[in-house]
């Protein structure tokens, strides 16, 4: 969330650091990939802090992910967590501190803001309703959510599909929110579905033909409203009963109330107007059906493996979900090239006060989930929750893809 502006001097310094770090990451990627296509680099022993079920099922160290994690710590990131799984073998590691104020070491099982990964989960809940015949992808939103028209003033019909793949043209709310209230107050404000959409409705629609990609969290806020109406319960409860509990994702939730006293949550901070605030579970994200899931890298990998292996949706519905629209988006999924198989990786990534990403092969046999808490002086985040313009997030994505391409 871009909630505060650094001085010109600090911005130039940060850009310089990002450029240098990006160059160093590129060198590591080049060396790794040059060592042999689809060859996983070996290490003599798993490093301290590596987690695995036992030494015989552990993967060797991932030097690309390891380098990136140390690079982020050197830039001031409080913590980095990563889990890699390949055909039943695992390599996972946590770097840094769960809380820089206490110095408590971070664990792989500590919870993070899942950010945009939330949208994959909400998309599954929508597509389950499609499978049950309770709504159609080409149906107008107003058929199930009549208030939509009054809240956001669309210039024409908007379909369920266009919300799922961000082609509706629906504006997002942060621009209006930050015009109406100061950044610190925005972070401390909880928005209901109706309030969020009402704020989005004050921003002009970019086009009237609804065929251009425009990433907007408001799309998934509107989808949650439809799910709640058709299921008769809050979206967090729907995700819990349909996804989290059946898959054993015991560390994952989309709660209506934050659990700030709970142990096991990585703490993220941000400076606003010279004051450092805790942004680990800000009111702005509490219960957000676009960005608000709290999870772990292990639970996130569990979710995408189940999705790819057909344990959440039928094959035909999953195929619809994976079908690319524009800007690398399908229906709640993103897609990247799999150089091992000439196929694709599926998953999602996003940027809040954490940068998080997950990739999975189409059969769920190779996976990576990575997340880090941003350095407290980073310009972020509510205006770019898809990671656009966040160089650290873009590097995270490239590292995740390169690591997967070395796991053939």
């Amino acid at each position: 969330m871009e909630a505060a502006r650094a001085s010109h001097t600090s911005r130039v310094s940060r850009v310089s650091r990002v450029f240098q770090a990006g160059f160093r990451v590129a060198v590591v990627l080049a060396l790794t990939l040059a060592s042999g296509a689809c060859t996983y680099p070996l290490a003599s022993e798993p490093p301290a802090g590596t987690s695995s079920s036992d030494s015989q099922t552990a993967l060797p160290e991932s030097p690309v992910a390891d380098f990136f994690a140390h690079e982020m710590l050197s830039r001031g990131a409080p913590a980095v967590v990563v889990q890699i799984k390949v055909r039943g073998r695992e390599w996972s590691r946590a770097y840094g501190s769960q809380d820089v104020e206490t110095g408590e070491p971070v664990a792989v099982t500590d919870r993070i803001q899942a950010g945009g990964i939330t949208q994959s989960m909400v998309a599954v809940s929508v597509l389950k309703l499609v499978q049950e015949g309770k709504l159609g992808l080409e149906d107008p939103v107003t058929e199930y959510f009549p208030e939509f028209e009054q809240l956001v003033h669309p210039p024409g019909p908007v379909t369920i599909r266009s919300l799922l793949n961000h082609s509706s043209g629906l504006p997002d709310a942060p621009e209006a929110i930050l015009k109406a209230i100061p950044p610190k107050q925005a972070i401390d404000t909880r928005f209901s579905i109706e309030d969020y959409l009402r704020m989005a409705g004050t921003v002009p629609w970019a086009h009237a033909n609804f065929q251009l990609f425009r990433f907007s969290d408001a799309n998934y806020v509107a989808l949650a409203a439809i799910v709640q109406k058709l299921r008769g319960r809050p979206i967090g409860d729907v995700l819990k009963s349909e996804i989290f509990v059946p898959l054993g994702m015991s560390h994952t939730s989309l709660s209506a109330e934050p659990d700030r006293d709970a142990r096991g949550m990585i703490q993220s901070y941000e400076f606003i107007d010279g004051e450092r605030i805790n942004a680990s579970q800000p009111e702005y994200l509490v219960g957000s059906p676009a960005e608000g899931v709290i999870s772990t890298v292990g639970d996130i990998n569990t979710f995408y493996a189940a999705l790819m292996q057909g344990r959440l949706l039928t094959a035909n519905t999953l195929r619809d979900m994976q079908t690319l629209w524009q800007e690398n988006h399908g229906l709640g999924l993103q897609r990247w090239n799999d150089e091992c198989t000439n196929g694709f990786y599926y998953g999602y990534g996003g940027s809040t006060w954490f940068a998080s990403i997950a990739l999975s092969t189409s059969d769920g046999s190779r996976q990576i989930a990575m997340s880090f808490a941003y350095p407290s002086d980073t310009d972020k985040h509510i205006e770019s929750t898809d990671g656009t313009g966040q160089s650290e997030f873009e590097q995270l994505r490239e590292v995740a893809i390169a690591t997967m391409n070395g796991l053939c």
Side-chain angles (χ1 to χ4, degrees), residues 97-359:
S97 301
Q98 183 192 93
D99 190 342
V100 294
E101 291 191 344
T102 65
E104 182 175 351
V106 66
V108 172
T109 54
D110 284 343
R111 302 173 82 199
I112 58 171
Q113 293 173 11
I117 292 167
T118 304
Q119 298 187 17
S120 290
M121 298 172 180
V122 171
V124 167
S125 71
V126 172
L127 292 170
K128 281 181 175 291
L129 288 166
V130 173
Q131 287 183 171
E132 295 169 15
K134 294 182 178 178
L135 80 166
L137 289 175
E138 310 309 328
D139 291 346
V141 172
T142 51
E143 181 176 338
Y144 308 97
F145 184 28
E147 303 93 326
F148 181 77
E149 188 165 354
Q150 183 176 2
L151 288 169
V152 299
H153 320 293
V158 175
T159 66
I160 303 297
R161 184 187 297 276
S162 70
L163 294 181
L164 284 165
N165 65 16
H166 293 283
S167 66
S168 69
L170 177 60
D172 210 354
E175 177 184 343
I177 290 170
L178 292 177
K179 283 183 179 179
I181 54 180
K184 187 175 185 299
Q185 183 180 344
I187 290 172
D188 289 336
T189 300
R190 192 180 309 184
F191 294 88
S192 67
I193 284 177
E194 291 75 15
D195 288 341
Y196 192 92
L197 291 175
R198 191 174 292 110
M199 294 297 288
T202 66
V203 180
W205 288 65
H207 52 85
N209 62 358
F210 312 124
Q211 295 299 311
L212 299 177
F213 179 87
R214 180 182 188 175
F215 184 89
S216 172
D217 282 348
N219 286 313
Y220 277 76
V221 174
L223 286 168
I226 293 170
V227 173
Q228 291 185 162
K229 282 178 176 288
L230 293 178
R231 293 298 190 198
R233 48 205 169 103
I235 184 65
D237 291 350
V238 174
L239 296 184
K240 181 178 179 179
S241 64
E242 293 185 346
I243 300 173
F244 305 156
V245 170
L247 297 183
M249 296 168 61
S250 59
H251 301 290
T252 303
S253 63
L254 180 60
S255 299
E257 294 295 333
D259 189 10
R260 296 192 176 95
D261 295 329
R263 295 176 60 84
M265 177 81 191
I266 295 173
Q267 302 300 296
S268 179
Y269 295 89
E270 179 171 9
F271 280 101
I272 297 180
D273 299 329
E275 178 185 358
R276 190 172 76 162
I277 65 168
N278 189 310
S280 306
Q281 295 188 67
E283 290 293 323
Y284 180 85
L285 289 183
V286 171
S288 167
E291 307 285 343
V293 162
I294 302 295
S295 191
T296 65
V297 287
D299 275 6
I300 288 169
N301 272 337
T302 294
F303 165 72
Y304 282 112
L307 179 60
M308 293 299 110
Q309 293 166 1
R311 289 184 278 140
L312 291 173
L313 298 171
T314 67
N316 287 339
T317 304
L318 180 59
R319 195 173 302 112
D320 278 343
M321 194 178 187
Q322 294 171 329
T323 300
L324 205 63
W325 171 242
Q326 292 182 16
E327 300 294 330
N328 201 38
H329 278 72
L331 305 183
L333 283 178
Q334 293 175 295
R335 192 179 82 178
W336 302 271
N337 290 332
D338 178 353
E339 294 182 1
C340 298
T341 65
N342 291 322
F344 299 103
Y345 303 126
Y346 297 95
Y348 218 90
S351 173
T352 53
W353 284 270
F354 290 69
S356 302
I357 194 165
L359 281 70

